[in-house]
Structure formats: C-alpha cells, structure tokens
Amino acid sequence: MEELDKSQLQLLKNAFDAFDHEKKGVISTDMIGTILEMLGHELDEDTLNEIITEVDVNATGELQFSDFCTLAAKFLTEEEEDDEAIIKELREAFRLYDREGNGYITTDVLKEIFKELDNSITPEDLDTMIEEIDSDGSGTVDWDEFLEVMTGE
C-alpha cells in the first residue's frame, strides 16, 4: 500500500466502498474482475483467479480493504499510463455521463461526479468549482471543458 499516493488510495477506497454494499469492510472476490475492468484492466479468468488466490490466502472469498489495495497496487504502479490512454478513459467516462449523446453534460451531472470523487466537498466549494468550469454560464460542460477539468491542462 505504501506505493500508492493519496489520490490512488482515495480512488480505491471509493471503488471498494461502492462494492461493499453491506458496509462490512469486505468485498466479495467475485467483484474483483468487475472493479479491475472499471479501472481499465481486463483480465482472463485464469489470471484473475491467480491474482485473487495470491491476496485471499485463507480462501474466504472476501477481501478487506488492505488486501484489495495490495491487489490493485499491482495494476496502479505497474506503469504510468500514457496520456492517450487516460484521455481515452476520460472520453469513455464522458460518454457514459452524456447519456443523450448531445456532446455535453450538465453542471448538475458534473456536481454528482465531483461528489462521488470526493464526498467531503462542501456545496459552496462545489458551486465555485462549477462557476469556474462553466465560465459561459450555459449550465453545460462540453468535452473540451471536461477534459480540462479532469487533467488540469
């Protein structure tokens, strides 16, 4: 876990919590493949089972957060993804939120994304961020604005 930076840990915590439906502090190993896919890593069944067996040493079928981090760290620290891959993932995320395919998402949807990423953001901070992003006050964020927000470029 020490190889992970704060933002990676937060990302993993959010993913873990999303799949810890009963809030028991464990997730089923059945969910690992799904979570890794969401993080951009599709693995075949054998590789996946091998990885799960490595971290679920007692074969309980459940992983605690620390075990989950150990597993995920292998993928997050393997190599930093190049900009192209990151942009591709962001474009995919944008498409998911742009359900009607209009080429933009509403600022309300963007607020929801920010809340999911960091639930400690105050409503005031959220409004300030949205005002900066939606400088023309249209109530929408297009792909270029979204990319700028997510990459800081």
Side-chain angles (χ1 to χ4, degrees):
M1 265 177 46
E2 51 279 340
E3 309 101 54
L4 301 171
D5 66 33
K6 196 175 172 187
S7 67
Q8 289 171 320
L9 274 174
Q10 189 59 54
L11 175 78
L12 294 180
K13 184 73 176 131
N14 291 347
F16 185 87
D17 289 347
F19 287 93
D20 180 14
H21 301 293
E22 295 166 18
K23 305 300 174 217
K24 295 191 308 188
V26 292
I27 57 173
S28 165
T29 53
D30 297 343
M31 302 312 300
I32 301 303
T34 307
I35 295 170
L36 288 175
E37 265 182 53
M38 288 171 60
L39 296 172
H41 301 283
E42 281 190 54
L43 304 174
D44 62 64
E45 202 65 34
D46 292 339
T47 308
L48 189 59
N49 290 332
E50 199 176 296
I51 291 168
I52 290 170
T53 306
E54 262 178 55
V55 287
D56 184 18
V57 285
N58 299 329
T60 59
E62 295 180 327
L63 293 183
Q64 294 179 333
F65 182 63
S66 59
D67 296 328
F68 175 67
C69 285
T70 301
L71 181 151
K74 297 177 190 319
F75 297 94
L76 293 175
T77 57
E78 264 179 5
E79 60 183 79
E80 285 302 313
E81 294 184 35
D82 60 359
D83 289 346
E84 216 170 279
I86 291 169
I87 289 172
K88 185 178 175 197
E89 284 180 34
L90 286 173
R91 185 173 294 283
E92 207 49 50
F94 185 81
R95 266 195 214 114
L96 282 174
Y97 290 107
D98 177 19
R99 290 182 185 92
E100 288 84 43
N102 299 323
Y104 62 82
I105 56 177
T106 65
T107 51
D108 289 340
V109 168
L110 192 58
K111 280 183 185 180
E112 290 302 313
I113 295 170
F114 286 152
K115 276 190 233 166
E116 281 177 38
L117 293 172
D118 181 359
N119 60 8
S120 66
I121 296 177
T122 67
E124 295 77 25
D125 287 345
L126 212 46
D127 289 339
T128 305
M129 290 165 66
I130 296 298
E131 279 174 30
E132 284 178 27
I133 296 161
D134 184 24
S135 53
D136 63 359
S138 64
T140 60
V141 176
D142 65 20
W143 163 245
D144 292 330
E145 290 170 315
F146 181 76
L147 184 61
E148 189 176 316
V149 170
M150 300 312 250
T151 60
E153 292 172 12

